[in-house]
Amino acid sequence: MMSSGIIPSISILENMLEGLCKQKSLSRAEEFLKFVASVRWEINENMTDKLIALYQEIGQVEKMEELLETMMKSHPITDGVLSRIHCGIIRMYAKLDRLDDVEFAVGRMLKQGLSFTRTDDVEKVICSYFRREAYDRLDIFLECIETSYPLSRSTCDLLISGYRRAGLREKVDSMMEAMKSAGVM
């Protein structure tokens, strides 16, 4: 197609990347994405999701960090794509209970004016804090995201049950009061 001067459609690019991801060929998928970025073709959220899923399946959070750097340097990409990459990195660090890395990645994302896009990602981070019994750090995390990400009912329920298990009655009462005043309860 390239030698004929035909620019492939976004669906062709998506399908090509999906095929590489199904083959679990991380190096070829990365090479393909870098090529797409270098010729300034669109990289959309579906393509990003496919590659992030492959990184997560293989367990390559460091490679995801490299992808983020590459994407930020290559050309302007949408906030949706950037948010998905950031959230994928945060999700991986949370899964590995690497709280220092989680907090760094969250701070980096928030400094760029981006926020979480999925409740599931926020909940994975919260669970990581609970597993590590890092309640003070959890409070700081919640304060950091409160202006950019409204907590869902399921996230509040998760916080309440986690605080109950930890025996933090004041936190349970505070969360329930906050839910009542927000009209969630």
Side-chain angles (χ1 to χ4, degrees), residues 17 40 46 84 93 99-100 127 150-151 155 158-159 179 182:
L17 183 60
R40 299 191 176 278
N46 290 334
R84 287 173 191 256
Y93 285 141
L99 286 182
D100 291 339
C127 287
L151 297 181
T155 304
L158 173 67
L159 286 164
M179 288 175 69

Side-chain angles (χ1 to χ4, degrees), residues 98-116:
R98 291 171 51 178
L99 286 182
D100 291 339
D101 293 324
V102 166
E103 291 168 343
F104 174 79
V106 168
R108 177 179 57 195
M109 178 179 73
L110 294 175
K111 282 180 189 170
Q112 292 181 353
L114 304 171
S115 184
F116 286 96

